[in-house]
Amino acid sequence: MNTSTANAGKRLYIQEVAPRDGFQNESRFVETQDKIRFIDALSACGYAKIEATSFTSPKAIPALRDAEIVMHEIRRHPGVVYTALVPNVRGAERALSCRVDEVNLVMSVSETHNRSNLRMSRDESFAQLSDVIDAVRGSHVAVNVSLSTVFGCPMEGDIDPYEVFELMNRFAQRGVNGITLCDTTGMAYPSQVEAISRKARSLFPAIELTLHFHNTRGMALANTMAALSAGVDRFDASLGGIGGCPYAPGASGNACTEELVHMLSLDGYDTGVDLAGILAAAETLPGLIGHDVPSQILKAGTRARRHPAPCQ
């Protein structure tokens, strides 16, 4: 059976993280109006969700110090969920004042990485994020929790899946809407991804499950296919493949959105994302951030690209 025929019409949901996860790491400040124009361009491309910014302290993440302006001035498209990273209750209050659709909370499954990244123990992080959940409750704003280092920690090594599921359960008990399993430094491999994804879906069928891969070791697309085989239908990705955790050694760029959409479209999946539209947006990235981006599609073009035959 033709694979693309078998997958025809299967709906997948692509969630763009470049405006937050990508821009936060850049040494060049992306001007506020450029951010707004960039997000507006993405909004017209059919994404399920766009992570627009982060309501962290401007001292901690100066690249996103314009969070309020960005959220107030972007043009919101029906059907697109606009989410923002929120570290604490103060960040949640700022986000709520800007009419976010969802807050994204982050902590690590790895104790060592959590202390390195957030300067807290895992229990302290859980308590702080529980306060955020309480602060948001009743506002009609959804809550997603992103769990870092699910598939391995560059300092601790392998992570026991039991620790992942135990933390998922604690957040499920707190009533969160979604959980993202993050491959923070690109340590995941396909059989591991399939096993953890399948078990997570089995244990928490009511939770909206997202997978977030990094391409540090070139396995982001292979890991996506493994997650698909386990029934996952939501994926984070970053235009141009930009981004990466600044507090995790060796964490290079995220799964590249245009590469992901290109692959899934060839296999017959319906991502809802306009490939030509996101390629046009991706082409603006080098000018915004001041350097080339990892995207192979921008370099080689899509599979449909044709070249003239060489002269004989």
Side-chain angles (χ1 to χ4, degrees), residues 279-296:
L279 282 170
E283 287 172 351
T284 70
L285 279 171
L288 293 178
I289 62 180
H291 61 81
D292 198 8
V293 297
S295 171
Q296 295 301 309

Side-chain angles (χ1 to χ4, degrees), residues 26-235:
E26 296 299 330
S27 57
R28 176 195 283 191
F29 179 73
V30 178
E31 295 297 330
T32 303
Q33 291 304 313
D34 287 335
K35 288 190 181 92
I36 292 166
R37 280 189 289 269
F38 182 69
I39 295 170
D40 286 347
L42 299 180
S43 292
C45 290
Y47 285 103
K49 185 183 294 185
I50 297 173
E51 189 175 36
T53 190
S54 172
F55 288 93
T56 49
S57 165
K59 292 181 180 179
I61 309 287
L64 302 179
R65 59 183 180 266
D66 50 6
E68 278 88 353
I69 300 173
V70 168
M71 287 305 304
H72 279 304
E73 295 192 13
I74 57 174
R75 295 196 304 270
R76 304 186 188 216
H77 280 231
V80 180
V81 173
Y82 294 91
T83 186
L85 189 147
V86 165
N88 50 36
V89 170
R90 174 60 186 138
E93 292 169 347
R94 292 171 60 202
L96 291 175
S97 74
C98 295
R99 300 184 299 109
V100 298
D101 299 314
E102 177 189 87
V103 294
N104 184 31
L105 318 182
V106 177
M107 68 169 290
S108 181
V109 183
S110 158
E111 181 75 24
T112 306
H113 180 261
N114 203 73
R115 289 182 180 276
S116 173
N117 187 15
L118 301 175
R119 305 293 189 266
M120 287 182 282
S121 70
R122 292 195 316 163
D123 285 342
E124 289 169 334
S125 280
F126 182 81
Q128 179 166 290
L129 297 185
S130 291
D131 289 341
V132 175
I133 294 167
D134 289 338
V136 171
R137 200 181 307 279
S139 67
H140 305 295
V141 170
V143 177
N144 185 81
V145 176
S146 291
L147 299 179
S148 302
T149 65
V150 164
F151 302 97
C153 171
M155 292 161 278
E156 291 185 12
D158 289 336
I159 297 295
D160 186 342
Y162 171 82
E163 297 290 332
V164 177
F165 303 136
E166 191 273 338
L167 198 50
M168 289 183 73
N169 185 58
R170 292 178 72 184
F171 279 113
Q173 293 298 317
R174 298 292 289 120
V176 303
N177 304 91
I179 294 176
T180 301
L181 304 182
C182 301
D183 179 28
T184 310
T185 61
M187 294 177 70
Y189 54 92
S191 60
Q192 175 199 36
V193 168
E194 181 176 2
I196 290 176
S197 298
R198 195 176 298 280
K199 186 68 172 178
R201 291 188 69 245
S202 172
L203 291 173
F204 308 102
I207 291 289
E208 185 178 275
L209 183 67
T210 300
L211 270 289
H212 178 113
F213 294 118
H214 283 224
N215 204 39
T216 312
R217 293 170 178 84
M219 288 196 282
L221 294 183
N223 287 329
T224 298
M225 297 303 289
L228 283 170
S229 70
V232 176
D233 62 2
R234 288 184 177 270
F235 297 92

